[in-house]
Amino acid sequence: MKPLIAPSILSADFAFLARDIEMLNDSEADWVHIDIMDGVFVPNISFGFPVLKYVAKLSKKPLDVHLMIVQPEKFIPEVKALGAHTMNVHYEACPHLHRVVQQIREAGMQPAVTLNPATPVMLLKDIIRDVYMVLLMGVNPGFGGQKFIAHTVDKVRELRELIDATGSKALIEVDGGVNLETGAQLVKAGADVLVAGNAVFSAQNPVDAIHLLKDL
Ligand code: DX5
Ligand code: ZN
């Protein structure tokens, strides 16, 4: 099975955002990955809903929204208003994760749970059947263009085993440091969805870069 590819617009040229979204519309990208940061949960701030409203208007691809913020449940209505396909919340930001997952589903979106590099996969044991997807971070969240943490490949394998053992249908997505080399290892280990920022937007030809990732 070919992986789903979700380019992250964190690495797009914000002075030409419309051009970059149109490029994605005409590419083999499956989803558009959107990184929202608050400067509290992660040491950076990206963009917020006033900007994303226009991204949502222009994008013909489903939006995969990744909230790197505290109390992400506060923004379920705003994410829903974007028409998002998936809403990813961090395990580390949600003491009442089960409730947040239900709220996202009730709002009509697909709930996904994200794990930071130091958070063990096994902590998902009691929620894995309730989520549409698990997002494993391949870097510490906050910035594009960081080096991939190799242990993430082992986490993908472990998560695949947990999913198979529990009869969950959750997809496995990986975000951070994904390129052709790490992407190949991740797909082999059982990843279903690859997020790529730098590997797409810093490429000479981003449409070709997406095609090559899709072909892994
Ligand atoms: C990191 C973000 C990622 C980021 C990935 O905090 O969640 O989505 O854009 O960028 P690359 O692919 O450049 O590591
Ligand atoms: Zn992300």
Side-chain angles (χ1 to χ4, degrees):
M1 262 282 279
K2 288 187 176 189
L4 298 176
I5 306 301
S8 164
I9 57 162
L10 185 63
S11 299
D13 185 338
F14 294 160
F16 298 95
L17 200 45
R19 180 201 65 190
D20 284 0
I21 304 283
E22 274 153 25
M23 177 278 289
L24 295 180
N25 283 343
D26 295 335
S27 77
E28 287 172 71
D30 295 280
W31 300 343
V32 175
H33 185 81
I34 294 183
D35 290 306
I36 302 180
M37 304 179 188
D38 64 357
V40 178
F41 183 70
V42 289
N44 196 11
I45 295 176
S46 51
F47 33 60
F49 296 102
V51 173
L52 294 173
K53 182 169 89 179
Y54 294 99
V55 171
K57 214 186 231 178
L58 290 172
S59 177
K60 294 190 180 132
K61 310 275 177 168
L63 305 182
D64 175 36
V65 179
H66 175 195
L67 291 138
M68 285 161 274
I69 66 173
V70 297
Q71 299 184 314
E73 66 278 5
K74 279 191 180 170
F75 292 94
I76 290 173
E78 283 81 356
V79 178
K80 171 70 185 165
L82 294 177
H85 169 62
T86 34
M87 177 165 167
N88 297 267
V89 296
H90 270 259
Y91 177 90
E92 304 84 4
C94 297
H96 305 289
L97 183 60
H98 185 271
R99 178 186 292 144
V100 179
V101 163
Q102 305 312 316
Q103 287 171 335
I104 294 170
R105 210 181 272 291
E106 280 160 21
M109 295 178 285
Q110 298 287 5
V113 175
T114 306
L115 298 188
N116 277 336
T119 306
V121 161
M122 278 306 149
L123 291 176
L124 295 176
K125 187 172 150 291
D126 293 323
I127 194 83
I128 193 70
R129 280 176 300 271
D130 300 306
V131 297
Y132 167 74
M133 184 165 78
V134 175
L135 169 51
L136 297 178
M137 291 305 305
V139 300
N140 287 293
F143 304 91
Q146 301 182 79
K147 190 175 178 299
F148 182 71
I149 298 169
H151 176 60
T152 314
V153 179
D154 302 326
K155 288 178 79 173
V156 170
R157 261 186 234 109
E158 206 184 333
L159 179 56
R160 176 54 62 206
E161 278 172 24
L162 177 67
I163 288 170
D164 292 347
T166 53
S168 159
K169 294 197 167 43
L171 296 174
I172 302 177
E173 180 176 45
V174 183
D175 181 13
V178 172
N179 54 34
L180 285 178
E181 191 192 338
T182 58
Q185 296 168 23
L186 291 164
V187 169
K188 197 165 161 231
D192 304 294
V193 188
L194 300 177
V195 175
N198 206 51
V200 167
F201 287 98
S202 298
Q204 284 272 10
N205 185 330
V207 171
D208 284 353
I210 293 167
H211 173 74
L212 292 172
L213 286 166
K214 186 75 197 165
D215 230 25
L216 284 175

